[in-house]
Amino acid sequence: NFSIISNGTFVLVLCSENPCTAGSEDFHYSVPYAFRKGFRTEKGQHMSEMVKVVVDAMGGDNAPVEPVKAAVEAVKEKQNIQVILTGQEDVIQAELQKYPDYPKDRIRVVHASQVIETAEPPVMAIQKKKDSSIVVGLNLVKKQEADAFVSSGSTGAVLVGGQVIVGRIKDIQRPPLAP
């Protein structure tokens, strides 16, 4: 039904069914439908087999070390994943240099000059920091250049940005949060 890719700090969930369940009736709220193999968009288009996941490389206490490490491990482990790292390009590229043996054609870096800090008010941060790694990543999902977004950064900013920028999935009445 689903697979979990984790390096101990960063977790990526891939789901092949709708809803994605794993022993909890609320679990399906925490897994984006975009991860399902063969997912159809609201316009009825079939998604490709390749899953494009945006990872906020600047989010979390151990950024960019852990998000970059997780991205490299994910593309090495799963052949159908492409990772788009958002954040300060020079910092991310320096971190990627530590990993010479990954499929470089499946990790892309999209520059974002700003970072939303955990202590910032989420609504103001999303409104004012348009070039943050979170906002840039969520806009890639909105424009359907990516299928999903993952961040260990500001939970509030991801939650607000997800609703304001990307919007909710049809028939989902409350925002997802899986602590």
Side-chain angles (χ1 to χ4, degrees), residues 25-30 159 163 168-169 171-177:
E25 66 181 50
D26 285 337
F27 186 74
H28 67 276
Y29 290 117
S30 67
L159 195 59
Q163 290 183 85
R168 291 187 193 156
I169 297 171
D171 297 329
I172 299 297
Q173 297 176 3
R174 60 187 170 123
L177 185 60

Side-chain angles (χ1 to χ4, degrees), residues 85-111:
L85 294 166
T86 57
Q88 297 167 346
E89 187 170 10
D90 56 339
V91 175
I92 296 168
Q93 291 292 358
E95 194 62 34
L96 281 169
Q97 294 300 316
K98 296 177 182 178
Y99 306 96
D101 65 338
Y102 68 92
K104 291 172 179 48
D105 61 323
R106 291 196 289 122
I107 293 183
R108 187 177 79 162
V109 178
V110 174
H111 180 70

Side-chain angles (χ1 to χ4, degrees), residues 7 23 33 35-36 47 63-64 73-74 76 84 86 88 90 96-97 103-104 107-108 121 132 148 153-154 158 166:
N7 67 0
Y33 289 162
F35 285 132
R36 291 186 294 115
M47 279 178 49
E73 289 175 3
K76 287 170 78 173
I84 303 166
T86 57
Q88 297 167 346
D90 56 339
L96 281 169
Q97 294 300 316
K104 291 172 179 48
I107 293 183
R108 187 177 79 162
S132 68
S154 169
V158 172
V166 179

Side-chain angles (χ1 to χ4, degrees), residues 149-162:
F149 177 80
V150 180
S151 178
S152 291
S154 169
T155 303
V158 172
L159 195 59
V160 168

Side-chain angles (χ1 to χ4, degrees), residues 47-70:
M47 279 178 49
S48 65
E49 293 286 325
M50 183 66 71
V51 178
K52 296 178 183 176
V53 180
V54 177
V55 175
D56 170 15
M58 308 313 290
D61 295 335
N62 299 312
V65 174
E66 291 300 327
V68 170
K69 181 180 175 186

